[in-house]
Amino acid sequence: MRPSLSLLAAAATLLALAAPTAQAETETLRIAQQFGISYLPMIVAKQQKLIEAAVAEAGLPAPEIEWIQVSGGAAMNEALLSGSLDVAAAGAPPAITLWAKTRGSIDVKGIAALGSMPIYLTTSNPQVKTLADFTDQDRIALPAVKVGFQAVLLQMAAAQAFGEDQATKLDDLTVSMAHPDATAALLSGGSEVTANFGAPPFQNQQLQDPKIHRVLSSFDVLGGPHTFNVIYATGAFYAENPKTVAAIVTALDRADQFIQAHPAEAAKLYIAAESSKLPEPFVEALITAADTRYTVAPENILKFVEFQHRIGQIKTTTSDWRDLFFPPLHDRQGS
């Protein structure tokens, strides 16, 4: 006896219900970045829609992405904690601070590094040759006092120069200021700002002025190359969107490959994205500099963890960089 059509239909329905289905992930992405050429991989990914393409390749609908620009690691962390962002981007120390603060709760971790490059402390004060030469008359502009990448780097340098118990010796001289504003203030000479712990291309633009000189490089402080900025998100976001997070890593990998293969085109994308007036050859030279590397793998990030833990900025530590990042990055060679 043949089964009836109604029985066949019922069986088909049961099979369909039992079959595994692709789990839906986020349809929108809110991603923030700051100013500077260190964010070039994000600019390339945005302009070429690399994240959308990588998500689609993972079998998911391409998300609608809202790109937001925020200045300073403190503001970035506040936006992520408030739920205003899905993916934040800031220097390694602000990301580490939030990782330590949220362990066992919302579990903020890194998605990827954005690259390694030296960061300079510059000054227009001819009397300042070393950190010991700064006085109460000086003001050091940086994106976020006390907590930003440059602020922590200044503390690391002060600890080396004056002793670890003096790590915050220069904190009272610092003022929060976005890179473009700090550069304008330093170059104008009409501001209280006499120094800037900045980022490329702004630091390089400053050094074209003969009145400005470099006091130190972050590579001197860290003893070699190090990750500058990272992108990060909450554990809940990763748990709900693992394929999307993996796709972001893929997209940044492709952006890095594009930058290496087409530095002139990458320079044009940067200039357009930031409405910069810098000459294309100047920007291209920064992109291809021997001490600049665009890579998703973190480099020397544990040195920040160790320092921040030693001076009490964070209450937890780790000896494995993978503890700081979500699984899609764990197969890379990092440090």
Side-chain angles (χ1 to χ4, degrees):
M1 180 177 175
R2 293 182 179 179
S4 67
L5 292 176
S6 60
L7 287 174
L8 289 172
T13 301
L14 288 172
L15 286 172
L17 290 173
T21 56
Q23 186 173 350
E25 295 194 5
T26 184
E27 296 179 354
T28 60
L29 264 177
R30 297 164 300 170
I31 304 177
Q33 68 179 76
Q34 299 187 55
F35 299 93
I37 207 163
S38 63
Y39 294 97
L40 184 58
M42 299 181 75
I43 291 171
V44 171
K46 175 185 177 181
Q47 296 300 326
Q48 298 188 346
K49 297 187 178 300
L50 298 180
I51 295 176
E52 294 91 331
V55 170
E57 288 172 14
L60 299 171
E64 181 179 337
I65 302 179
E66 179 184 1
W67 293 87
I68 305 162
Q69 201 152 37
V70 177
S71 179
M76 192 71 72
N77 284 354
E78 289 172 7
L80 187 67
L81 290 174
S82 71
S84 301
L85 296 177
D86 298 311
V87 177
I96 291 167
T97 298
L98 208 53
W99 163 80
K101 182 179 179 180
T102 63
R103 289 189 82 177
S105 56
I106 63 171
D107 289 322
V108 170
K109 288 187 179 183
I111 295 174
L114 292 178
S116 300
M117 57 191 62
I119 309 305
Y120 301 154
L121 172 60
T122 60
T123 184
S124 58
N125 185 344
Q127 305 303 316
V128 175
K129 305 300 181 184
T130 69
L131 294 185
D133 298 324
F134 282 109
T135 72
D136 291 341
Q137 302 304 309
D138 291 295
R139 290 296 177 269
I140 304 170
L142 39 76
V145 299
K146 298 184 183 298
V147 297
F149 177 95
Q150 289 84 351
V152 173
L153 191 61
L154 184 62
Q155 292 167 351
M156 294 176 79
Q160 292 176 9
F162 309 117
E164 198 144 290
D165 61 338
Q166 297 293 307
T168 60
K169 180 180 175 68
L170 300 176
D171 280 10
D172 288 344
L173 303 183
T174 62
V175 293
S176 294
M177 195 173 291
H179 294 317
D181 297 333
T183 297
L186 195 61
L187 290 173
S188 72
S191 163
E192 65 173 1
V193 171
T194 60
N196 178 219
F197 224 147
F202 306 102
Q203 62 191 22
N204 310 85
Q205 181 184 2
Q206 294 165 15
L207 290 171
Q208 289 188 311
D209 189 319
K211 297 190 299 294
I212 297 175
H213 64 275
R214 189 174 83 184
V215 179
L216 60 80
S217 164
S218 61
F219 279 19
D220 299 332
V221 180
L222 270 292
H226 60 79
T227 289
F228 180 16
N229 293 312
V230 299
I231 62 170
Y232 48 103
T234 66
F237 180 80
Y238 174 69
E240 295 170 2
N241 304 282
K243 290 184 179 180
T244 299
V245 169
I248 292 173
V249 175
T250 297
L252 291 175
D253 260 334
R254 291 172 179 172
D256 292 341
Q257 292 164 11
F258 176 85
I259 293 167
Q260 294 164 12
H262 308 284
E265 292 182 48
K268 291 178 181 178
L269 288 178
Y270 172 80
I271 289 169
E274 297 213 345
S275 301
S276 173
K277 296 181 180 179
L278 292 173
E280 288 178 14
F282 179 83
V283 176
E284 183 181 355
L286 297 181
I287 293 171
T288 58
D291 53 7
T292 295
R293 286 199 288 271
Y294 289 104
T295 172
V296 298
E299 193 167 22
N300 266 333
I301 201 166
L302 289 177
K303 289 187 177 181
F304 293 105
V305 176
E306 293 162 0
F307 173 76
Q308 290 180 264
H309 183 252
R310 285 201 313 271
I311 68 170
Q313 283 185 354
I314 60 176
K315 295 181 179 180
T316 187
T317 187
T318 181
S319 59
D320 187 348
W321 67 266
R322 291 173 182 83
D323 289 340
L324 300 163
F325 289 86
F326 292 119
L329 210 67
H330 289 182
D331 63 347
R332 306 304 176 101
Q333 294 296 317
S335 62

Coordinates of all heavy atoms in Angstrom, one line a residue, residues 106-164:
I106 N 31.6 40.3 30.8 CA 31.3 40.4 29.4 C 32.5 40.0 28.5 O 32.3 39.9 27.3 CB 30.8 41.8 29.0 CG1 31.9 42.9 29.2 CG2 29.6 42.2 29.7 CD1 31.6 44.2 28.6
D107 N 33.6 39.7 29.1 CA 34.7 39.1 28.4 C 35.1 39.7 27.1 O 35.1 39.1 26.0 CB 34.5 37.6 28.2 CG 34.5 36.8 29.4 OD1 35.3 37.1 30.3 OD2 33.6 35.9 29.6
V108 N 35.5 41.0 27.2 CA 36.0 41.7 26.0 C 37.4 41.1 25.6 O 38.2 40.9 26.4 CB 36.2 43.2 26.3 CG1 37.0 43.9 25.1 CG2 34.8 43.9 26.5
K109 N 37.5 40.8 24.3 CA 38.8 40.3 23.7 C 39.0 40.9 22.4 O 38.1 41.4 21.7 CB 38.7 38.7 23.6 CG 38.7 38.0 25.0 CD 38.9 36.5 24.7 CE 38.9 35.8 26.1 NZ 39.1 34.3 25.9
G110 N 40.3 40.7 21.9 CA 40.6 41.2 20.6 C 40.2 40.3 19.5 O 40.1 39.1 19.6
I111 N 39.9 41.0 18.4 CA 39.6 40.3 17.1 C 40.8 40.1 16.3 O 41.1 39.1 15.8 CB 38.5 41.0 16.3 CG1 37.1 41.0 17.1 CG2 38.3 40.3 15.0 CD1 36.0 41.8 16.5
A112 N 41.6 41.2 16.2 CA 42.8 41.2 15.4 C 43.6 42.4 15.7 O 43.1 43.5 16.2 CB 42.5 41.2 13.9
A113 N 44.9 42.4 15.5 CA 45.8 43.5 15.5 C 45.7 44.2 14.2 O 45.3 43.6 13.2 CB 47.3 43.1 15.8
L114 N 46.1 45.5 14.2 CA 46.0 46.3 12.9 C 47.4 46.6 12.4 O 47.5 47.1 11.2 CB 45.3 47.6 13.2 CG 43.8 47.5 13.4 CD1 43.2 48.9 13.7 CD2 43.0 46.8 12.3
G115 N 48.4 46.2 13.1 CA 49.8 46.4 12.6 C 50.8 46.9 13.6 O 50.4 47.3 14.8
S116 N 52.0 47.0 13.3 CA 53.1 47.4 14.1 C 53.8 48.6 13.5 O 54.1 48.5 12.3 CB 54.1 46.3 14.4 OG 53.5 45.2 15.0
M117 N 54.0 49.6 14.3 CA 54.7 50.8 13.8 C 55.2 51.7 14.9 O 54.6 51.6 16.0 CB 53.8 51.7 12.8 CG 52.5 52.1 13.5 SD 51.4 52.8 12.3 CE 51.1 51.4 11.2
P118 N 56.3 52.4 14.8 CA 56.8 53.3 15.8 C 56.0 54.5 16.1 O 55.5 55.1 15.1 CB 58.2 53.6 15.4 CG 58.1 53.6 13.9 CD 57.1 52.6 13.5
I119 N 55.8 54.9 17.3 CA 55.1 56.1 17.7 C 56.1 57.0 18.4 O 56.8 56.6 19.3 CB 53.9 55.7 18.7 CG1 53.1 54.6 18.2 CG2 53.1 57.0 19.0 CD1 52.5 54.9 16.8
Y120 N 56.0 58.3 18.0 CA 57.0 59.3 18.4 C 56.5 60.3 19.4 O 55.3 60.7 19.3 CB 57.6 60.1 17.2 CG 58.2 59.3 16.2 CD1 58.3 59.8 14.8 CD2 58.8 58.0 16.4 CE1 58.9 59.0 13.8 CE2 59.4 57.3 15.4 CZ 59.4 57.8 14.1 OH 60.0 57.1 13.1
L121 N 57.3 60.6 20.4 CA 57.0 61.8 21.2 C 57.8 62.9 20.6 O 59.0 62.9 20.5 CB 57.5 61.5 22.7 CG 57.4 62.7 23.6 CD1 56.0 63.3 23.8 CD2 58.0 62.3 25.0
T122 N 57.1 64.0 20.2 CA 57.7 65.1 19.5 C 57.5 66.4 20.4 O 56.6 66.4 21.2 CB 57.1 65.4 18.1 OG1 55.7 65.6 18.3 CG2 57.4 64.1 17.2
T123 N 58.4 67.4 20.2 CA 58.2 68.6 20.9 C 58.7 69.8 20.1 O 59.6 69.7 19.2 CB 59.0 68.6 22.3 OG1 58.7 69.8 23.0 CG2 60.5 68.4 22.0
S124 N 58.1 70.9 20.4 CA 58.6 72.2 19.8 C 59.5 73.0 20.8 O 60.0 74.1 20.5 CB 57.4 73.1 19.4 OG 56.6 73.3 20.6
N125 N 59.7 72.4 22.0 CA 60.5 73.1 23.0 C 62.0 72.7 22.8 O 62.4 71.5 23.0 CB 60.1 72.6 24.4 CG 60.8 73.4 25.5 OD1 61.8 74.0 25.3 ND2 60.3 73.3 26.7
P126 N 62.8 73.6 22.4 CA 64.2 73.3 22.1 C 65.0 72.8 23.3 O 66.1 72.2 23.2 CB 64.8 74.6 21.5 CG 63.9 75.6 22.0 CD 62.6 75.0 22.1
Q127 N 64.5 73.1 24.5 CA 65.2 72.7 25.7 C 65.0 71.3 26.1 O 65.7 70.7 26.9 CB 64.7 73.6 26.9 CG 64.9 75.1 26.6 CD 66.3 75.5 26.3 OE1 67.3 75.0 26.9 NE2 66.5 76.3 25.3
V128 N 64.0 70.6 25.5 CA 63.6 69.3 25.9 C 64.3 68.3 24.9 O 64.0 68.2 23.8 CB 62.1 69.1 25.8 CG1 61.7 67.6 26.0 CG2 61.4 70.0 26.8
K129 N 65.3 67.6 25.5 CA 66.0 66.6 24.8 C 65.7 65.2 25.3 O 65.7 64.2 24.5 CB 67.5 66.8 24.9 CG 68.0 68.2 24.5 CD 67.7 68.5 23.1 CE 68.3 69.9 22.7 NZ 67.9 70.2 21.3
T130 N 65.3 65.1 26.6 CA 64.9 63.8 27.2 C 63.7 64.1 28.1 O 63.3 65.2 28.3 CB 66.0 63.2 28.1 OG1 66.2 64.1 29.2 CG2 67.3 63.2 27.3
L131 N 63.1 63.0 28.6 CA 61.9 63.2 29.5 C 62.2 64.0 30.7 O 61.3 64.7 31.2 CB 61.4 61.8 29.9 CG 60.8 60.9 28.9 CD1 60.3 59.6 29.5 CD2 59.8 61.5 28.0
A132 N 63.4 64.0 31.2 CA 63.8 64.7 32.4 C 63.8 66.2 32.1 O 63.8 67.0 33.1 CB 65.2 64.3 32.8
D133 N 63.7 66.7 30.9 CA 63.8 68.1 30.6 C 62.4 68.7 30.6 O 62.3 70.0 30.5 CB 64.4 68.3 29.2 CG 65.9 67.9 29.2 OD1 66.6 68.0 30.2 OD2 66.3 67.3 28.1
F134 N 61.3 67.9 30.6 CA 60.0 68.5 30.7 C 59.8 69.2 32.0 O 60.2 68.7 33.1 CB 58.9 67.5 30.5 CG 58.7 67.0 29.0 CD1 59.1 65.8 28.6 CD2 58.2 67.9 28.1 CE1 59.0 65.4 27.3 CE2 58.0 67.5 26.8 CZ 58.4 66.2 26.4
T135 N 59.1 70.4 32.0 CA 58.8 71.1 33.2 C 57.3 71.4 33.3 O 56.5 71.0 32.4 CB 59.5 72.5 33.2 OG1 58.9 73.4 32.2 CG2 61.0 72.3 32.9
D136 N 56.9 72.0 34.3 CA 55.5 72.4 34.5 C 54.9 73.3 33.4 O 53.7 73.5 33.3 CB 55.2 73.0 35.9 CG 55.4 72.0 37.0 OD1 55.4 70.8 36.7 OD2 55.6 72.4 38.2
Q137 N 55.8 73.9 32.7 CA 55.4 74.8 31.6 C 55.0 74.1 30.3 O 54.5 74.7 29.4 CB 56.5 75.8 31.3 CG 57.0 76.6 32.5 CD 55.8 77.4 33.2 OE1 55.1 78.1 32.5 NE2 55.7 77.3 34.5
D138 N 55.4 72.8 30.3 CA 55.1 72.0 29.1 C 53.7 71.3 29.2 O 53.3 71.0 30.3 CB 56.2 71.0 28.9 CG 57.5 71.6 28.5 OD1 57.6 72.1 27.4 OD2 58.4 71.4 29.3
R139 N 53.1 71.1 28.0 CA 51.9 70.3 28.0 C 52.1 69.3 26.8 O 52.4 69.7 25.7 CB 50.7 71.2 27.7 CG 50.3 72.0 28.9 CD 49.9 71.1 30.1 NE 49.5 71.9 31.3 CZ 50.4 72.3 32.3 NH1 51.7 71.9 32.1 NH2 50.0 73.0 33.3
I140 N 51.8 68.0 27.2 CA 52.0 66.9 26.2 C 50.6 66.5 25.7 O 49.8 65.9 26.5 CB 52.7 65.8 26.8 CG1 54.1 66.2 27.4 CG2 52.9 64.6 25.8 CD1 54.8 65.2 28.2
A141 N 50.3 66.7 24.5 CA 49.0 66.3 23.9 C 49.0 64.8 23.5 O 50.0 64.4 22.9 CB 48.6 67.2 22.7
L142 N 48.0 64.1 23.8 CA 47.8 62.7 23.4 C 46.3 62.4 23.4 O 45.5 63.2 23.9 CB 48.6 61.8 24.3 CG 48.6 62.0 25.8 CD1 47.3 61.6 26.5 CD2 49.8 61.3 26.5
P143 N 45.9 61.3 22.7 CA 44.5 61.1 22.5 C 43.6 60.9 23.8 O 42.5 61.3 23.9 CB 44.4 59.8 21.7 CG 45.7 59.8 21.0 CD 46.7 60.4 22.0
A144 N 44.2 60.2 24.8 CA 43.4 60.0 26.0 C 44.4 59.9 27.2 O 45.2 59.0 27.3 CB 42.6 58.7 25.9
V145 N 44.2 60.9 28.1 CA 45.2 60.9 29.3 C 45.0 59.7 30.1 O 43.9 59.1 30.3 CB 44.9 62.2 30.1 CG1 45.2 63.4 29.3 CG2 43.5 62.2 30.7
K146 N 46.1 59.2 30.7 CA 46.2 58.1 31.7 C 45.9 56.7 31.1 O 46.4 55.7 31.6 CB 45.2 58.4 32.9 CG 45.6 59.6 33.7 CD 44.8 59.7 34.9 CE 45.1 61.0 35.7 NZ 46.4 61.1 36.2
V147 N 45.0 56.6 30.1 CA 44.5 55.2 29.7 C 44.8 54.9 28.3 O 44.8 53.7 27.9 CB 43.0 55.0 30.0 CG1 42.7 55.1 31.4 CG2 42.2 56.1 29.2
G148 N 45.0 55.9 27.4 CA 45.3 55.6 26.0 C 46.6 55.0 25.7 O 47.5 54.9 26.6
F149 N 46.8 54.5 24.5 CA 48.1 53.9 24.1 C 49.3 54.8 24.5 O 50.2 54.4 25.1 CB 48.1 53.6 22.6 CG 49.4 53.0 22.2 CD1 49.6 51.6 22.1 CD2 50.5 53.8 21.8 CE1 50.8 51.1 21.6 CE2 51.7 53.3 21.4 CZ 51.8 51.9 21.3
Q150 N 49.2 56.1 24.0 CA 50.3 57.0 24.2 C 50.5 57.3 25.7 O 51.6 57.5 26.1 CB 50.1 58.3 23.4 CG 50.2 58.1 21.9 CD 48.9 57.6 21.2 OE1 48.0 57.2 21.9 NE2 48.9 57.6 19.9
A151 N 49.4 57.4 26.4 CA 49.5 57.7 27.9 C 50.2 56.6 28.6 O 51.1 56.8 29.4 CB 48.1 57.9 28.5
V152 N 49.9 55.3 28.3 CA 50.6 54.2 28.9 C 52.0 54.1 28.5 O 52.9 53.8 29.3 CB 49.8 52.9 28.6 CG1 50.6 51.7 29.2 CG2 48.4 52.9 29.3
L153 N 52.2 54.4 27.2 CA 53.6 54.4 26.7 C 54.5 55.4 27.4 O 55.6 55.2 27.7 CB 53.6 54.6 25.2 CG 54.9 54.4 24.4 CD1 55.3 52.9 24.5 CD2 54.7 54.8 22.9
L154 N 53.9 56.6 27.6 CA 54.6 57.6 28.3 C 54.9 57.2 29.8 O 56.0 57.4 30.3 CB 53.8 58.9 28.4 CG 54.4 60.1 29.1 CD1 55.7 60.5 28.3 CD2 53.4 61.3 29.1
Q155 N 54.0 56.4 30.4 CA 54.3 55.9 31.7 C 55.4 54.8 31.7 O 56.2 54.8 32.6 CB 53.0 55.3 32.3 CG 51.9 56.3 32.6 CD 50.6 55.7 32.8 OE1 50.3 54.6 32.6 NE2 49.6 56.6 33.3
M156 N 55.4 54.0 30.6 CA 56.5 53.0 30.5 C 57.8 53.7 30.4 O 58.8 53.3 31.0 CB 56.2 52.1 29.3 CG 55.0 51.3 29.4 SD 54.6 50.3 27.9 CE 55.8 48.9 28.1
A157 N 57.8 54.8 29.5 CA 59.1 55.5 29.3 C 59.5 56.2 30.6 O 60.7 56.2 31.0 CB 58.9 56.5 28.2
A158 N 58.6 56.8 31.4 CA 58.9 57.4 32.6 C 59.4 56.4 33.7 O 60.3 56.7 34.4 CB 57.6 58.1 33.2
A159 N 58.8 55.2 33.7 CA 59.3 54.2 34.6 C 60.7 53.8 34.3 O 61.5 53.6 35.2 CB 58.4 53.0 34.5
Q160 N 61.1 53.8 33.0 CA 62.4 53.4 32.6 C 63.4 54.6 33.0 O 64.5 54.3 33.4 CB 62.5 53.1 31.1 CG 61.8 51.9 30.7 CD 61.8 51.7 29.2 OE1 62.5 52.4 28.5 NE2 61.1 50.7 28.8
A161 N 62.9 55.8 32.8 CA 63.8 57.0 33.0 C 64.0 57.3 34.5 O 65.1 57.7 35.0 CB 63.2 58.2 32.3
F162 N 62.9 57.2 35.3 CA 62.9 57.7 36.7 C 62.7 56.6 37.7 O 62.8 56.9 38.9 CB 61.8 58.7 36.9 CG 61.8 59.8 35.8 CD1 60.7 60.0 35.0 CD2 62.9 60.7 35.7 CE1 60.7 61.0 34.0 CE2 62.9 61.7 34.7 CZ 61.8 61.8 33.9
G163 N 62.4 55.4 37.3 CA 62.1 54.3 38.3 C 60.6 54.0 38.2 O 59.8 54.9 38.0
E164 N 60.3 52.7 38.4 CA 58.9 52.3 38.2 C 57.9 53.0 39.1 O 56.7 53.1 38.8 CB 58.8 50.8 38.4 CG 57.5 50.2 37.8 CD 57.8 48.8 37.1 OE1 58.5 48.8 36.1 OE2 57.3 47.9 37.7

